[in-house]
Amino acid sequence: MVLVADGSNIDYTTWDWLPEAAEEMQAYISRLLAESGIRAHDVSARAKSIASFRRKQELKGYENPLTQITDIVAIRIITYSTIDRDRAADLVRERFVIPDGEDRNPGEDRGRPDSRRGYDCRHLVVTGEKPPADSGWVVAGGKLQKYFAECGGLEIQIRTVAGHAWAEFEHARRYKGAQYAAISAQDQSVIDGLFGAAADARSALDSIFKAIDGFLASPSAATNRAATLEESDDRAVNTEGPALEIDSLTRLLADRYPEDGAGSEKGVEFALDLARACGLTTIGAAETALDTVDHEQVVRLMDTSVPVTRVRRFDDDLLARFEEEYISRTGAVGAVANRRQQLEWRFDRLRGKTRYKTYTFEGEDAPDDLTSRPFTASLAVRELARAVAHRAGVDVVLVPDAISRLDDLKVGSRAVEVSLADGTSIWVATNIGRGYAEEIMQTILRQAPGLDVRVRREGFPVAGFDTDPS
């Protein structure tokens, strides 16, 4: 049944689906922020109640309120600092159509009395995605698409936690406060002065939070980059294995990031473009690059508020691995117009705070070429097998399904040939994670108890000690 308001042609069954439109927009904005490395304090959306809608319609005298009221659905983004507030506003401007005059901060409006200073919130009204709309995030046939087609606009408010605290308290105590309205003009002026002082404190707090965020984005401390990985050494790059193509990369992403969503075929194509831009053309090369990255630390630093896909995880790990060079190489890859800027924002979360997963060797029987530099997990296994086989014989380093005299390991192990000093070879699996690599190193050194060779991961004992860590 269609309900019509007195004197208007408003179908109030619209409110049956407006909450769904709000939910879809909230999911959209949450994803947009996460893709750009912005961790918001809160993202929330609401549909205006029918009662509030009617009050605004009557107050403003709108003839076509569904198209004239621009906050029937509204979303609020609360960030921790003005840096992320301004970045979030830039994302909205980049992604959505904003009518003239609908990008403003009411707290900066001219004519606002000084006694009312303190409000600081960006208000943007959007009417849909900018063409060409190729994000795929507005669900075809969904309620958000319907909203943009039938309603006049959707309001996005962006403020900091400090600005939110001030605005919520002021709204409750002064703007909507019955007690404030009941006191004398003299007492109101005292309250106004106190709110002005609170506004100055809010501004100072925002400035301090901005300084903290700025320092965290570019810390002065020396970074732990393990520069001695000697990337120019051919042994540090495994170019063996299948070529990096859609199918092989899809399997690699599933192996590396099993807990994350698979994403779309288009997303994997994008990931392939990213890898090739970095010169990674084989599965082995991609695995070697990823092996050096402390993925768990990258995930913690990115601190995404919504689930992300395996492609995004891959993108973040490559950013951690290649740093500024990655921004230069891949900033123009894909369809996102401001990708380079978003990579720079995301890199602010990683800069100087991520470490490579590296292994070092020590001990009287460890050759100089092992103790002189760190290694990645899979490379550490190969170099340890090479060194121990030279000292104690090939039989000592053989490990079922991981190290063999013959090229008979499973295809999925992606075994590579390791040449020994006597002219013979062994075959060593390279498709191994950190945990399995450490198990193999422990096995090798347990099978050669007379050798003084020890392995550490970033100082943590891994193998060759009196009791191998579990």
Side-chain angles (χ1 to χ4, degrees):
M1 176 179 176
V2 176
L3 302 178
V4 180
D6 294 340
S8 67
N9 294 317
I10 304 302
D11 180 358
Y12 286 118
T13 61
T14 297
W15 270 257
D16 293 340
W17 57 265
L18 282 179
E20 294 181 55
E23 290 175 5
E24 289 180 29
M25 189 60 178
Q26 181 174 320
Y28 188 117
I29 292 296
S30 296
R31 180 176 177 182
L32 183 64
L33 296 176
E35 289 292 331
S36 303
I38 298 175
R39 182 70 160 91
H41 169 68
D42 184 59
V43 177
S44 57
R46 64 99 180 106
K48 185 183 285 291
S49 69
I50 293 176
S52 178
F53 174 85
R54 292 191 65 177
R55 282 197 300 271
K56 192 163 189 176
Q57 175 190 4
E58 293 168 1
L59 178 65
K60 300 291 186 178
Y62 291 133
E63 294 182 2
N64 299 296
L66 278 178
T67 58
Q68 291 176 288
I69 296 177
T70 56
D71 65 342
I72 300 174
V73 166
I75 187 164
R76 179 175 290 159
I77 304 168
I78 302 174
T79 67
Y80 289 102
S81 75
T82 55
I83 291 176
D84 280 347
R85 180 200 63 191
D86 295 343
R87 288 175 173 177
D90 284 344
L91 286 175
V92 172
R93 296 183 185 106
E94 181 72 30
R95 186 63 66 97
F96 297 99
V97 175
I98 302 174
D100 291 342
E102 294 292 2
D103 179 356
R104 65 191 187 91
N105 183 341
E108 297 173 352
D109 288 349
R110 293 182 179 181
R112 192 179 184 91
D114 184 67
S115 63
R116 293 282 173 165
R117 74 183 186 277
Y119 186 79
D120 186 26
C121 179
R122 202 81 223 165
H123 290 219
L124 305 101
V125 174
V126 302
T127 57
E129 288 185 304
K130 282 185 177 179
D134 192 31
S135 73
W137 296 1
V138 176
V139 179
K143 304 308 181 186
L144 180 57
Q145 185 182 66
K146 181 179 177 69
Y147 182 88
F148 282 137
E150 298 183 7
C151 299
L154 183 153
E155 185 175 82
I156 301 175
Q157 294 185 6
I158 313 173
R159 60 174 62 155
T160 65
V161 288
H164 182 65
W166 186 95
E168 289 294 285
F169 186 73
E170 192 274 344
H171 187 83
R173 292 295 188 270
R174 183 168 61 175
Y175 183 75
K176 290 278 189 175
Q179 289 175 301
Y180 177 84
I183 62 179
S184 67
Q186 182 177 355
D187 288 343
Q188 286 181 349
S189 68
V190 173
I191 297 295
D192 291 343
L194 291 173
F195 269 111
D200 295 337
R202 189 273 307 155
S203 180
L205 192 59
D206 271 334
S207 296
I208 294 170
F209 287 173
K210 180 179 180 179
I212 292 171
D213 258 5
F215 190 83
L216 288 173
S218 300
S220 60
T223 61
N224 180 12
R225 287 293 157 210
T228 52
L229 275 171
E230 298 181 17
E231 297 169 40
S232 60
D233 188 331
D234 290 340
R235 291 179 303 169
V237 179
N238 169 23
T239 58
E240 300 293 329
L244 205 59
E245 303 290 352
I246 293 294
D247 290 344
S248 58
L249 181 55
T250 298
R251 290 191 295 270
L252 173 64
L253 296 179
D255 289 343
R256 288 277 173 172
Y257 315 113
E259 296 181 359
D260 298 300
S264 64
E265 182 177 342
K266 185 177 180 181
V268 179
E269 291 175 358
F270 172 64
L272 184 60
D273 289 340
L274 297 178
R276 288 173 174 171
C278 297
L280 306 176
T281 59
T282 68
I283 288 294
E287 288 179 333
T288 298
L290 296 175
D291 279 346
T292 66
V293 174
D294 188 340
H295 172 68
E296 290 78 10
Q297 176 73 342
V298 172
V299 171
R300 286 193 294 271
L301 289 169
M302 283 302 180
D303 193 23
T304 55
S305 57
V306 296
V308 297
T309 67
R310 294 166 185 168
V311 172
R312 168 60 192 276
R313 295 298 188 200
F314 183 64
D315 195 15
D316 284 344
D317 282 352
L318 291 181
L319 176 61
R321 172 65 183 83
F322 294 104
E323 303 180 318
E324 287 96 337
E325 183 181 1
Y326 185 71
I327 298 174
S328 176
R329 290 188 180 190
T330 72
V333 174
V336 177
N338 63 340
R339 171 174 164 79
R340 182 184 182 91
Q341 183 182 55
Q342 292 184 31
L343 283 175
E344 290 171 349
W345 296 347
R346 283 159 54 189
F347 186 53
D348 282 348
R349 304 188 73 85
L350 303 178
R351 191 193 311 268
K353 300 179 280 290
T354 57
R355 298 182 297 173
Y356 292 149
K357 286 182 179 177
T358 56
Y359 294 79
T360 54
F361 293 88
E362 60 187 54
E364 293 294 329
D365 296 318
D368 291 342
D369 63 342
L370 282 188
T371 59
S372 62
R373 66 186 182 92
F375 298 84
T376 64
S378 59
L379 185 57
V381 169
R382 298 199 295 277
E383 293 306 310
L384 177 63
R386 187 199 308 270
V388 172
H390 176 69
R391 293 283 188 132
V394 172
D395 289 342
V396 172
V397 303
L398 300 181
V399 177
D401 299 322
I403 303 175
S404 174
R405 286 180 179 273
L406 305 174
D407 184 12
D408 59 358
L409 296 177
K410 296 177 180 178
V411 175
S413 70
R414 300 180 189 128
V416 298
E417 185 178 11
V418 176
S419 300
L420 304 179
D422 63 2
T424 62
S425 298
I426 54 176
W427 293 83
V428 182
T430 63
N431 187 22
I432 51 178
R434 187 191 78 182
Y436 187 35
E438 294 179 2
E439 289 180 16
I440 295 171
M441 288 188 278
Q442 292 165 11
T443 299
I444 291 173
L445 292 177
R446 279 198 299 267
Q447 293 173 172
L451 289 182
D452 179 21
V453 178
R454 300 182 296 278
V455 187
R456 294 181 184 272
R457 174 181 21 93
E458 299 170 0
F460 181 82
V462 168
F465 294 83
D466 291 339
T467 301
D468 285 336
S470 58

